[in-house]
Amino acid sequence: MTRLSIFVDGNNMFYAQQKNGWFFDPRRVLEYFTKDSHITLVNAFWYTGLKDPQDQRGFRDALISLGYTVRTKILKEYYDDSSGRYSQKANLDIEIVVDMFNTVEQYNQVILFSGDGDFERAIELLRSKNTHITVVSTEGMIARELRNATDRYIDLNDIRDSIEKIDSP
């Protein structure tokens, strides 16, 4: 039996989806990765940065109702000396890794939606515990180190038909 945990780096995936020109449906993601009868979903986590505590309230409530555990952090503003611009980041990498290791006894397979190379070492350690790791991202946004560390890489565009958000008429 496959015991699956899904970890979605929401901010990273927002930019990947924006780059691709389409968005995925969190419900269809769960359905796609649990369609085989031998797969049991034990956890699904979604991580996202917020402008303020009420930001994305409806979306977060919808994720919770689908069964996701939602982790948030207020965005911080950073100044980039080279570009002279301000940017906002929440940086939830530590929260993702803590949840991965805090729940490691519950699963034997992980799906990580992120292209962030910072996860390379965590993925290597999980693999050493006989955990099968799949990373989902998109070309141009997946770090070479992360792609190299994982057991399997899936490009979002390869599963678009199964996970794309379809607007109701």
Side-chain angles (χ1 to χ4, degrees), residues 56-69:
Q56 303 177 44
R57 170 68 77 194
F59 179 63
R60 289 185 285 140
D61 289 346
L63 287 171
I64 292 166
S65 73
L66 290 172
Y68 286 91
T69 298

Side-chain angles (χ1 to χ4, degrees), residues 76-89:
K76 291 183 180 173
E77 198 165 82
Y78 296 92
Y79 181 73
D80 181 355
D81 288 330
S82 59
S83 71
R85 287 204 198 115
Y86 284 95
S87 63
Q88 293 184 321
K89 275 187 90 167

Side-chain angles (χ1 to χ4, degrees), residues 6-12 45-48 71 73 91-103 107 110-114 116 119 122-123 126:
I6 297 175
F7 299 87
V8 180
D9 180 346
N11 293 43
N12 186 281
F45 293 91
W46 193 289
Y47 304 83
T48 190
R71 303 267 196 245
K73 195 186 257 188
N91 210 352
L92 285 142
D93 295 358
I94 293 297
E95 287 76 4
I96 295 171
V97 171
V98 166
D99 284 338
M100 283 178 159
F101 282 92
N102 197 36
T103 60
Y107 59 79
V110 163
I111 311 268
L112 171 64
F113 279 76
S114 183
D116 193 331
F119 293 114
I123 295 305
L126 288 173

